[in-house]
Amino acid sequence: MARPKIPRTICGQLANICFKPNGIPMVQLEQVPLAEDEIEALRLVDLLGMQQQEAAKSMGISRQTLANLVKGARYKVVDSLIYGKALMTNISTK
C-alpha cells in the first residue's frame, strides 16, 4: 500500500487551461497532464528562481520530493513541446 501524499502548499494562481499546437484539433492530440504541485514546483524554481531547498520549505515538502517534482514536470513540458502534445493543467477542485 502506497504512503499517503503529504499536503503541499500551493501559492500560485493556476489557470484551468491547456497548451497545444496550433491548427490541430484537440481530439487528435495526446494529452499530457501536469499536476498542481508540479506547476508550483516549476513556478518557484524556474520562474521565481528560488533555490530548491527554499522552494521545498515553501511547499512544505522535502528537497528530494521537490527535485522529483521539478524533474517530472520538466520532462512533461519538453515532451509536449518536442512531440506536439497537449499539455493539460490537472487542477483539483477545492
Side-chain angles (χ1 to χ4, degrees):
M1 185 166 155
R3 187 171 159 217
K5 244 186 182 181
I6 295 173
R8 289 127 196 245
T9 304
I10 309 293
C11 296
Q13 185 70 11
L14 303 174
N16 193 10
I17 57 173
C18 78
F19 292 95
K20 71 175 199 69
N22 287 332
I24 302 172
M26 191 64 148
V27 296
Q28 295 178 1
L29 293 173
E30 183 177 339
Q31 296 181 7
V32 178
L34 194 60
E36 191 175 40
D37 54 355
E38 292 174 321
I39 296 170
E40 180 68 359
L42 286 179
R43 184 183 78 83
L44 294 174
V45 173
D46 293 334
L47 185 63
L48 300 182
M50 282 186 178
Q51 294 294 318
Q52 285 190 359
Q53 188 66 37
E54 183 183 3
K57 187 176 179 181
S58 172
M59 288 182 70
I61 57 177
S62 72
R63 192 216 47 85
Q64 184 61 49
T65 299
L66 180 94
N68 291 338
L69 287 172
V70 170
K71 181 179 178 182
R74 286 176 178 164
Y75 177 85
K76 290 177 181 182
V77 170
V78 171
D79 182 45
S80 296
L81 291 172
I82 299 298
Y83 297 112
K85 299 175 183 179
L87 187 62
M88 309 295 294
T89 57
N90 187 14
I91 302 192
S92 60
T93 55
K94 294 181 181 177

